[in-house]
Amino acid sequence: MKLAVVTAGLTQPSSSRLLADRLAEAVARQTQAEVRVIELRDLAVDIANNFVTGFPNGRLRAAIEAVTEADGLIAVTPIFSGSYSGLFKSFFDVLDNAALAGKPVLIAATGGTARHSLALEHALRPLFAYLRAVVVPTAVYAAAEDWGGGGDAFTDGLGPRIARAADELADLLLHRAPRVEAEEEVVPFEQQLAALRPLS
């Protein structure tokens, strides 16, 4: 089982990567999935060049294939001006429209204040719904103050949210019907001709 993690944090280290890692660890513990992390910061120039040329280079193609071939996806973005980052959106713009169809996805975001948490519902969830992904019910938002929790259930709400979202994604991955590659059926020419003849 393969789990792709796309994170659009711009700094190193970034809170988006930290949140992505915690989510991936929680899902992998339950599914034993092989995790592949894609840092969009490292692909920014490649993504821009793809828009100009219409073709991904080797590094970007490998990232696209990792997302396309994965059984599930965790997508994490920082929130800028009340929505996902331009880099985050640009990466999903270069994917084929059908690349995420039916794929289980966990969406998450980070920001300086909890006031931006609804961006998950008014920006990210519609984006992945348009791409026909299966988005888990719990979205995870981590504001600056969420990183100071000490494990106390009354003051640290991030841990339980991560656990709940990870449970939902793991459940989809473990109970999803296995993917079957469609094989093109070859119909012999004689049968094609016979189908065209009028019945007498």
Side-chain angles (χ1 to χ4, degrees):
M1 186 178 294
K2 296 179 181 177
L3 177 65
V5 180
V6 172
T7 175
L10 298 179
T11 59
Q12 194 173 24
S14 76
S15 58
S16 294
R17 175 62 191 266
L18 180 59
L19 180 57
D21 287 345
R22 287 187 62 182
L23 289 164
E25 288 166 13
V27 174
R29 271 196 303 270
Q30 299 180 59
T31 62
Q32 306 303 311
E34 173 190 333
V35 177
R36 166 82 189 274
V37 178
I38 298 152
E39 289 263 17
L40 296 185
R41 185 176 63 86
D42 299 333
L43 298 171
V45 173
D46 304 323
I47 292 168
N49 285 337
N50 185 89
F51 280 115
V52 175
T53 64
F55 299 99
N57 65 11
R59 286 196 321 166
L60 181 56
R61 187 180 305 109
I64 291 170
E65 287 173 359
V67 170
T68 303
E69 295 170 3
D71 298 288
L73 172 66
I74 296 173
V76 187
T77 180
I79 298 299
F80 296 141
S81 303
S83 189
Y84 40 64
S85 73
L87 180 59
F88 182 85
K89 178 64 162 58
S90 295
F91 176 74
F92 288 101
D93 281 345
V94 301
L95 293 182
D96 183 87
N97 279 347
L100 300 183
K103 192 182 299 295
V105 176
L106 191 166
I107 56 174
T110 58
T113 172
R115 290 194 302 269
H116 296 299
S117 61
L118 284 178
L120 284 161
E121 302 304 327
H122 75 70
L124 270 78
R125 197 174 294 276
L127 169 65
F128 288 101
Y130 173 78
L131 295 171
R132 293 179 289 145
V134 179
V135 184
V136 301
T138 301
V140 180
Y141 181 84
E145 63 264 22
D146 287 318
W147 298 109
D152 182 346
F154 292 104
T155 60
D156 184 6
L158 184 57
R161 280 180 278 146
I162 287 173
R164 185 169 64 245
D167 286 349
E168 292 168 357
L169 182 59
D171 189 57
L172 279 176
L173 291 172
L174 293 171
H175 298 98
R176 185 176 183 222
R179 265 188 326 197
V180 178
E181 298 297 330
E183 293 184 11
E184 187 176 339
E185 183 181 346
V186 178
V187 179
F189 185 66
E190 296 82 15
Q191 287 183 9
Q192 293 180 30
L193 280 178
L196 295 175
R197 292 190 191 118
L199 295 174
S200 52

